[in-house]
Amino acid sequence: MTGSKRVVVVGHGPIGQSFIEKLTEQKADFKISVLCEEPRPAYNRVMLTQYFQDRDGDKNDQMKLSYWSEAQLKEAQVELVYGRAVEIDRAAKEVVYKLNGTATSARLSYDFLVLATGSYCFVPPTPGMTIPAKKNPEWPDDPASRPEGVFVYRTIEDLEMLIAAAGKGAKSAAVIGGGLLGLEAAKAVYDLKLESHVLEMAPYLMPTQLNEAAGSCLTKKIEALDIKVHAGVKINEVLLEGERAVGLKVVEKGAAEATDLKVDLIVVSCGVRPRDELAKACALEMGSRGGVKVDSGLQTSDPAIFAIGEVASIGGNFCYGLWAPGVEQADTLVKNLVDGAKRVEYFKSDLSTKLKLMGVDVASFGRDESFWFKRQFDGKDLSVRSLESFNELDGSYRKLCFSADGTQLIGGLLVGDAKDYSKLLQLSKKDDLGGKTAESLAFGKPAPGEAAGAAADGGDGTGLADDDIVCSCLNVSKADVKKAIVEKDAVTIPLLKKCTKAGTGCGGCCTPVGEVPRVLAATLKAMGKTLATGICPHFAFSRRELFDIIKVKNIKSFPEALETVGKGEGCELCKPIVASILAGLWNDHVLKEGRDQIQDTNDRFLANIQKTGTYSVIPRTAGGDISPQELIAFGECAKKHGLWTKITGAQRLGMFGAAGHQLPAIWKELVEAGFESGHAYGKALRTVKSCVGSTWCRYGQQDSVSMAVALEDRYKGVRAPHKIKMAVSGCLRECAEAQGKDLGLIATSAGYNMYVCGNGGARPKHATLLASDIDEETALKYSDRFLMFYVSTAKHLQRTAPWLEELPGGIAYLKQVVIEDKLGICDELEALMAHNVANYKCEWREVAYDEELQKKFRQFANTEETQKSEQIEYIDMRKQRHPNTYDPPDITGPALFTKENIGLDWEWVFAGHVSDYPKNGGLAVKHGTAEIAVFHLPSHDESTRWLATQNICPHKQARVISRGLVGVKPDGQITLADPIYKTIYDLQTGNGVSHPQLNLSTFPVKESSGKVLVQLPPATELAAAFELQAAEAAAKASFKPPPRGSHPDIKILRYSDGAKPNIDW
């Protein structure tokens, strides 16, 4: 840090981070420190529900929700301190804090103190909601102060606790609060697939922002998701069993007596309160309704202390609970600190907001705060006149409020359809209706006789004027976005986010249908440019376009594709996409003729890589049909090789923990026992689930097992943009869950009903009916067409459900293509599938009996010796051995060794023969117990033809770097994507690209007389250095492996002494 004035920020949330970013941009004379009480730097709390898709909290400062990493803060000369502030010593100008997770206190001195402490979740004083004896005065959100099963919704840790509770068998949850925060929490509960209840004390949802009609409309849309809404409810108490919550005693709207609502989890999200305990304790003047009173310069009653965000009570009257006001306050404070006190004044912010709640667009906007404070949308203000519209077709609601003479828009409420929000918000700030009439605005179409007038967007088709706000979270206008595109060459959405901050709030403006992509496309068109649509810089085509080109030109290899329609040498993005297309079209063995070096590691090793760098082996059991002899052979193989066995999530047999060099021998044993590859590693057909059907079940309509086996035998090995799962149910009872699969058949008395484009997983989707009562032959014909149409037109890594959602015309169009042959391509689709089926060979069998292919699985290039390479020790649990459940900490900081700084005792070590190395790929080299990764790029000059790094990936320490995917960027940078977590490194320098704090050691390499040689420190020295580096990383992170793992066996209570439960049947 540099600078003469010290600024200390207490609270590293979104607003504290916004202040830090704005202050560092000024390059002013300040030393900046920030106190962060969470275990990671600031992250996007507005998009917290996104965490249920990512679940990447273990990445600390590298989550998708993260703003700046620790390395970026350090580069900006910001001191990040993990600790909770407990006292402000105003006389000494010091903040007393406790280091996170300890009782150790320390102090930070300041010249200026900025309170950005935000707010905490309000937990109502309902009996049983908290444990008074455990209340923590220093931490209002302390989970220890609540009974087991009662949660709040505010931080990553809150979500982790919710996820953990759901994982322990919770089936149902109640969310207390039907406002903005409550519905966000309800989305979290819904994403956890729990039976969901929303309890709101007001007569309808979102009572602060909406009227009863809008709230009721929102209720209907949310109830359509099978979420139970209890509006107008009174909560009497939390039902407890010991110190565990088991439900709520409630009085439903209109009921005379209380009833018990039994739930496993309770999530409290019914409002927030300012985190003002520090300010109270040091006698700062407080706001009338809580928070720290600040003036128009955001200054408190102490001239050296300022407050921004949810803790700042503006004029002592009101604390804003929204993101945008906090950002505006941060901007004001920065300008005043840099330019001088009160150069800029802050008085109020716009309370308008647009959100997507439970998938429903909801917006509330107004001319000023009177729209909400005086509830001008309720119809009681005679100076305000309103027009309402309710669309019964899509269930949307719109209410616009106008001045008494109808010449000005005062505000409005939108539910279900908020696409006009930006336009209406801007209009509400103007003195007229912009040439429109009240009727046309309210009903969304021109009124009779309405003048056309000049286009407000200048004719670019965006429907937005230059001063219209496209990002209300960060107050970014259309003009700001256009300026960034034209003057800063920000021609992609990520670049626009970086330049303008648009989309870094709720993210809605940067979605494919948001305002920012619209402005980007229009601006580029006006400049004579086009929006880049290629899969990467090496191919200026979408996956669909590339599929057609490769098919028409009969391209059979990646080099041929580059030469014909691409440029450069390829990268970690385009190689797997082209590999998938080649496999989907021609179905040649993925490891032959150099195709192994363009595969993701799973396809390259024909097995799923696990976090230890070992692999799972999952053979195909078509339709789940398996003989006793096959079961025995599977068990004997796993026992022989010491592998952990499990029935997988897809209900297949799986063995885990196989080292790469063991795979060919394991496959040979399985192949000889009658098994074949299950393609659990590929973007291919995984499994066809089935019930026992008419073979055994008294309800069975058709032989579902035989049909499932027929499907699986036909489509095994077919490569696709993403994995494919199928199922066949023998009757309408649907035991095989066919309506949750990419393709599902449900037996009827007349044949089968075919469902398509469903899936489970993080975003479950119910499948859609494609055809009814079809026979087996027709089912296979439609399946051929459907699958090949999907394979040939979907985006890379796009499941069938989102593919169908993006397909123009949806399911109706898909029926026309697949059943009616509207496009005249059904014969071609069937021929493509027939070629795939005819060309199928078991990939495992090919390796098991091919010595050349087996060489690709050697552990080391320079020796036949093998060694245990896992970075996690094994433990015994439930009669089996498996890795402990922790992950080693990341190894951050500079690399230990570089090829530019060679020690005097370094020696040239044999690293295998040149002929052993794949083109544009790597192999591992053994040096004592240490491992090195060596890469061969034969088309490069001598300086980069051979490259060597450590084999340990600094991210979680797996020894897998040699198995990574090599790429070359257009600027010549040679990159490597690690095979497990896809961390990107510069292979020449070893520097982290995606994570700058993660770096690889590099070593000199040369070839001599057909041999590859690497210059290395002595083996014992090298191994000791890497071990010491790992130990220091563990010490830095206070990491100590648990003796039995972080998830020990769960103890199950049993009845003893002959006692039996008293069950009233």
Side-chain angles (χ1 to χ4, degrees), residues 530-547 549 561-562 564-568 571 574 577-578 970:
T530 56
L531 190 61
T533 58
I535 59 174
C536 76
H538 302 101
F539 291 96
F541 303 97
S542 67
R543 182 195 178 277
R544 178 173 183 171
E545 292 167 335
L546 206 52
F547 186 96
I549 292 169
L562 278 173
T564 307
V565 293
K567 60 183 179 181
C571 64
C574 61
I577 295 176
V578 174

Side-chain angles (χ1 to χ4, degrees), residues 945-1010:
R945 188 173 302 142
W946 292 95
L947 298 168
T949 71
Q950 65 189 63
N951 201 31
I952 300 172
C953 181
H955 183 46
K956 302 189 186 301
Q957 303 184 36
R959 297 187 180 191
V960 293
I961 290 296
S962 62
R963 295 175 246 169
L965 203 55
V966 177
V968 182
K969 292 187 175 182
D971 62 5
Q973 184 185 36
I974 303 171
T975 61
L976 178 115
D978 97 75
I980 301 181
Y981 299 105
K982 311 306 178 188
T983 310
I984 309 297
Y985 299 95
D986 185 317
L987 261 187
Q988 290 175 268
T989 64
N991 295 337
V993 175
S994 60
H995 299 69
Q997 76 278 22
L998 303 177
N999 299 286
L1000 300 172
S1001 292
T1002 58
F1003 306 95
V1005 199
K1006 66 180 182 181
E1007 60 177 271
S1008 176
S1009 302

Side-chain angles (χ1 to χ4, degrees), residues 610 615-617 634 638-639 641-647 654-658 874-875 877-883:
Q610 307 300 318
Y615 294 87
S616 61
V617 178
F634 178 89
K639 185 176 181 180
H641 294 279
L643 305 180
W644 185 67
T645 56
K646 186 185 182 298
I647 304 299
M655 52 179 79
F656 295 76
Y874 276 62
I875 59 175
M877 188 179 289
R878 296 183 295 275
K879 302 178 183 178
Q880 295 200 77
R881 289 180 61 73
H882 64 71

Side-chain angles (χ1 to χ4, degrees), residues 7 56 85 124 160 170 324 358 363 384 457 606 636 725-726 790 800 826 834 847 1037-1038:
V7 176
D56 55 354
E160 287 284 10
M358 310 292 291
V384 177
D457 59 13
L606 308 180
E636 288 179 341
K725 294 186 178 181
M726 302 182 184
Y790 162 64
T800 56
C826 284
V847 174
S1038 301

Side-chain angles (χ1 to χ4, degrees), residues 28-103:
D29 192 26
F30 292 107
K31 296 179 180 179
I32 307 172
S33 299
V34 58
L35 268 171
C36 178
E37 70 177 15
E38 293 191 51
R40 58 185 61 80
Y43 53 88
N44 190 335
R45 227 183 287 276
V46 176
M47 297 181 68
L48 203 54
T49 52
Q50 172 72 28
Y51 185 75
F52 284 91
Q53 298 174 33
D54 307 326
R55 300 196 183 187
D56 55 354
D58 58 339
K59 293 185 179 179
N60 192 38
D61 60 341
Q62 299 291 333
M63 302 185 302
K64 287 186 179 178
L65 295 178
S66 298
Y67 292 122
W68 282 6
S69 66
E70 293 175 356
Q72 287 172 299
L73 287 163
K74 185 176 181 181
E75 184 180 348
Q77 297 185 323
V78 177
E79 180 188 21
L80 173 63
V81 181
Y82 288 112
R84 175 176 289 116
V86 294
E87 180 189 345
I88 299 172
D89 187 338
R90 293 170 55 188
K93 284 194 171 183
E94 291 181 338
V95 179
V96 181
Y97 66 93
K98 289 183 179 178
L99 291 169
N100 285 357
T102 74

Side-chain angles (χ1 to χ4, degrees), residues 835-902:
H835 176 82
N836 262 281
V837 172
N839 218 31
Y840 169 78
K841 292 180 181 179
C842 174
E843 292 168 343
W844 286 359
R845 175 181 287 275
E846 294 284 289
V847 174
Y849 295 101
D850 188 322
E851 291 185 1
E852 286 302 311
L853 287 179
Q854 290 169 24
K855 291 179 181 179
K856 297 178 182 292
F857 294 84
R858 288 175 58 190
Q859 187 174 13
F860 300 114
N862 60 335
T863 178
E864 294 296 331
E865 294 179 16
T866 61
Q867 70 180 20
K868 180 182 177 300
S869 289
E870 291 101 315
Q871 77 279 27
I872 302 172
E873 86 281 359
Y874 276 62
I875 59 175
D876 292 311
M877 188 179 289
R878 296 183 295 275
K879 302 178 183 178
Q880 295 200 77
R881 289 180 61 73
H882 64 71
N884 209 331
T885 51
Y886 66 84
D887 287 312
D890 292 349
I891 298 175
T892 59
L896 286 180
F897 304 98
T898 66
K899 58 188 176 186
E900 291 78 20
N901 296 297
I902 303 169

